[in-house]
Amino acid sequence: MQQIDSIYINGEFVTPHGTELFELFNPSTEAVIGTVRLADEVDAQNAIAAAKAAFPAWSKTSKEERIAVLKRMHKAVAAREEELLDAIVTEYGAPKVRGRWMAQYPADVIAQAIEALEDFEFVEQAGSAQVIMTPVGVAGLITPWNSDAGFICNKLATAMAAGCTAVIKPSEMSAIQTQVITEALHEAGIPAGVFNIITGRGDVVGDVINHHPDIAKISFTGSTAVGKHIVASGAQSLKRVTLELGGKSPTLILDDADLTQAMPLVLGAGFMNSGQACVAGTRILVPRSRQAEFEAAIIDAVNRVQSGDPQDAKTDIGPMVSQKQWQRVQDYIRLGEEEGAKRLVGGVGRPGDLEKGWFVKPTVFVGHNQMRIAREEIFGPVLVIIPYDDEAQALDIANDTAYGLSAMVLSGDRERGVRIAQQIDSGRVMVNTLAHEPKAPFGGFKQSGLGREMGKWGMQAYLEAKTLMVG
Ligand code: NAD
């Protein structure tokens, strides 16, 4: 049993003023593996005060000074890879291969922020004016449980690179992962108050951040519903807001696609992060002329997908993070049946003979785009095949969604794939690949978000342009 009874404020691990103990679980066994003592409103106020006090000095540091601190941060986080992997597999249930990526990503993303900072021009000339990019102030960074350390490190490194100080509110469900990262960041010798980490409830600690006049900007990753609430709450003080929200991403298979090559990409996108990925490709658009062939191929492929123990190297899909998330996925599978979708594979209940753990069966339906299982984010390994008649209809379906985070086009003809990709309303569109480019901006169209993270676009979101003219 791990007991986490401190939060991090002003360069120190301190006992929270909050007294609520929150249980932490191993989703593979449903066993309680620890508790975290949650921060409350008073802790949030203290953290914001510390970040505010640290801002004048940190915002005046040179690029070189910031790079030196970020490099120490990178080294300290990279050194924790094994410990982080252990926490990710135990507390989150990521299968080992995915878990390894998730344990390396936090250091990689700090390296990306260093690169972006090295290339960033803080001062530019615009006609007779000098434009000075100025740090916006204290940033509130609110992160979800599905890639805890990665989101914390990405948002914090970018905010610090821009010259902002930060108050971080991670998910209460990933406190063990947060603890590993907090210890690493502490060892990096970052000046006191530049970052503060207060694990607490969204409607308690999060809401102080949402409303506090000393928070100039919020960068949030999480659900669209909470994202909208943050915008509304921040309106009073006109907070700058970056939102990375949900998705219902299309995978558009063109009639000339080679299914043997396409299927690993289809399932890779659909079942990414055990289906608990904002970018998951959960709507599979298939030409009606090849529907029967595709259905047979996907049944065969999904029957070979292993859902179970994340410690097993052969596992593709681990458990859902919580009982609540497991129930949500079960409810959506039941809803698909009620809506009249044809279930090809999967269904309710646990896979195989598993009796414990929040494991789900990878499930594929055939339906249409107006069904709730095709419109709402499920956040589990549940896919819906939507047949289409021609290219124009395929594009209509792809774009007929409230979201616009990611999309993939699969075609035997690269040029044709690119032509289709350019017509999809989405922050990211991939043609015949699932590759990730961390130097490119990341974010969503429509209700998938506001603004962009990564690279110079991510940095700009923590800066205000100050125009200086001298007579
Ligand atoms: P969530 O919105 O419930 O919680 C995210 C974070 O917000 C948590 O730290 C939570 O405590 C906090 N929060 C909750 N209520 C709050 C409030 N009133 N004020 C301030 N903060 C509050 O989401 P979740 O269930 O943790 O994560 C899953 C969601 O995140 C999915 O919808 C998924 O698509 C989205 N997500 C998006 C991205 C992206 O980059 N676009 C990445 C990962 C996850």
Side-chain angles (χ1 to χ4, degrees):
M1 284 280 281
Q2 189 161 348
Q3 275 158 5
I4 299 168
D5 50 14
S6 61
I7 50 177
Y8 193 82
I9 298 180
N10 205 24
E12 286 179 55
F13 286 94
V14 296
T15 302
H17 177 269
T19 53
E20 181 184 351
L21 293 182
F22 182 86
E23 287 184 330
L24 303 166
F25 293 88
N26 178 334
S28 304
T29 61
E30 303 181 25
V32 175
I33 53 170
T35 57
V36 54
R37 180 166 165 176
L38 297 181
D40 68 4
E41 291 92 341
V42 173
D43 298 307
Q45 303 279 357
N46 291 341
I48 294 168
K52 184 182 179 186
F55 179 73
W58 182 254
S59 60
K60 290 184 189 71
T61 49
S62 66
K63 208 186 227 195
E64 291 66 33
E65 286 168 312
R66 285 179 211 165
I67 288 172
V69 175
L70 287 166
K71 282 190 172 163
R72 293 203 301 272
M73 209 165 133
H74 175 262
K75 194 169 165 215
V77 169
R80 295 297 185 118
E81 183 180 327
E82 294 309 317
E83 219 179 313
L84 199 50
L85 174 64
D86 209 42
I88 288 168
V89 176
T90 311
E91 185 185 39
Y92 174 61
K96 274 234 159 125
V97 176
R98 172 77 190 179
R100 175 64 67 189
W101 184 86
M102 289 170 79
Q104 290 168 344
Y105 184 73
D108 289 350
V109 93
I110 296 169
Q112 288 298 328
I114 293 170
E115 227 178 273
L117 175 56
E118 279 166 346
D119 295 341
F120 199 84
E121 298 293 346
F122 283 89
V123 181
E124 281 182 75
Q125 203 68 29
S128 61
Q130 206 178 44
V131 181
I132 306 163
M133 297 306 284
T134 310
V136 66
V138 177
L141 312 177
I142 304 177
T143 58
W145 41 260
N146 66 337
S147 184
D148 178 84
F151 288 126
I152 291 175
C153 288
N154 182 30
K155 289 184 194 298
L156 177 61
T158 313
M160 284 173 56
C164 292
T165 57
V167 174
I168 304 166
K169 196 223 83 68
S171 168
E172 50 279 41
M173 285 193 289
S174 38
I176 297 175
Q177 296 157 79
T178 299
Q179 183 70 9
V180 175
I181 281 299
T182 312
E183 286 170 10
L185 294 172
H186 176 66
E187 281 160 18
I190 299 166
V194 168
F195 82 97
N196 305 273
I197 301 191
I198 43 172
T199 299
R201 288 192 183 274
D203 56 1
V204 179
V205 168
D207 245 28
V208 174
I209 295 173
N210 297 345
H211 290 97
H212 203 291
D214 291 335
I215 295 281
K217 185 217 162 58
I218 294 183
S219 178
F220 169 78
T221 297
S223 61
T224 297
V226 174
K228 288 178 182 177
H229 173 71
I230 287 174
V231 172
S233 314
Q236 207 48 42
S237 49
L238 280 185
K239 290 194 197 323
R240 278 60 184 143
V241 179
T242 301
L243 304 176
E244 303 292 355
L245 309 174
K248 196 74 194 178
S249 299
T251 294
L252 205 173
I253 297 162
L254 296 182
D255 54 11
D256 60 5
D258 174 339
L259 293 192
T260 314
Q261 285 174 12
M263 199 53 77
L265 295 174
V266 171
L267 297 190
F271 296 154
M272 185 186 296
N273 207 7
S274 305
Q276 301 176 126
C278 50
V279 290
T282 48
R283 292 186 300 143
I284 321 292
L285 279 46
V286 175
R288 214 178 292 278
S289 59
R290 298 188 65 189
Q291 186 181 342
E293 181 195 353
F294 185 82
E295 287 184 11
I298 202 167
I299 291 170
D300 181 53
V302 173
N303 277 333
R304 279 184 278 118
V305 169
Q306 195 161 321
S307 174
D309 182 4
Q311 300 283 358
D312 182 339
K314 292 196 293 294
T315 294
D316 305 295
I317 297 179
M320 301 295 93
V321 71
S322 63
Q323 158 84 40
K324 188 174 158 211
Q325 195 63 26
W326 184 83
Q327 193 56 55
R328 176 186 166 94
V329 175
Q330 301 299 312
D331 290 347
Y332 270 106
I333 295 174
R334 230 168 262 123
L335 175 69
E337 313 245 351
E338 283 162 22
E339 288 185 302
K342 177 173 84 172
R343 181 167 52 76
L344 293 182
V345 57
V348 292
R350 291 181 174 77
D353 51 8
L354 290 168
E355 284 172 9
K356 259 200 166 321
W358 296 313
F359 298 103
V360 296
K361 295 179 192 164
T363 298
V364 181
F365 286 105
V366 183
H368 62 73
N369 202 43
Q370 300 312 314
M371 289 177 166
R372 282 181 57 198
I373 56 162
R375 303 204 79 78
E376 298 172 17
E377 185 177 52
I378 298 173
F379 231 50
V382 181
L383 312 181
V384 54
I385 294 172
I386 304 168
Y388 69 84
D389 293 315
D390 55 30
E391 235 179 68
Q393 192 189 27
L395 273 168
D396 281 349
I397 298 170
N399 288 331
D400 177 13
T401 169
Y403 296 108
L405 190 58
S406 189
M408 181 162 64
V409 179
L410 298 170
S411 172
D413 176 348
R414 207 161 163 265
E415 305 302 309
R416 185 178 172 215
V418 170
R419 182 171 55 76
I420 300 288
Q422 283 167 338
Q423 297 172 75
I424 298 180
D425 305 330
S426 173
R428 182 171 82 173
V429 192
M430 296 160 292
V431 178
N432 295 342
T433 181
L434 259 182
H436 177 61
E437 178 46 79
K439 291 185 175 46
F442 180 79
F445 281 29
K446 300 190 267 183
Q447 294 190 31
S448 284
L450 264 187
R452 293 292 180 270
E453 294 196 287
M454 310 308 290
K456 67 176 177 191
W457 301 272
M459 292 257 309
Q460 279 162 357
Y462 291 91
L463 297 161
E464 292 282 14
K466 181 188 289 181
T467 295
L468 178 68
M469 279 173 298
V470 183

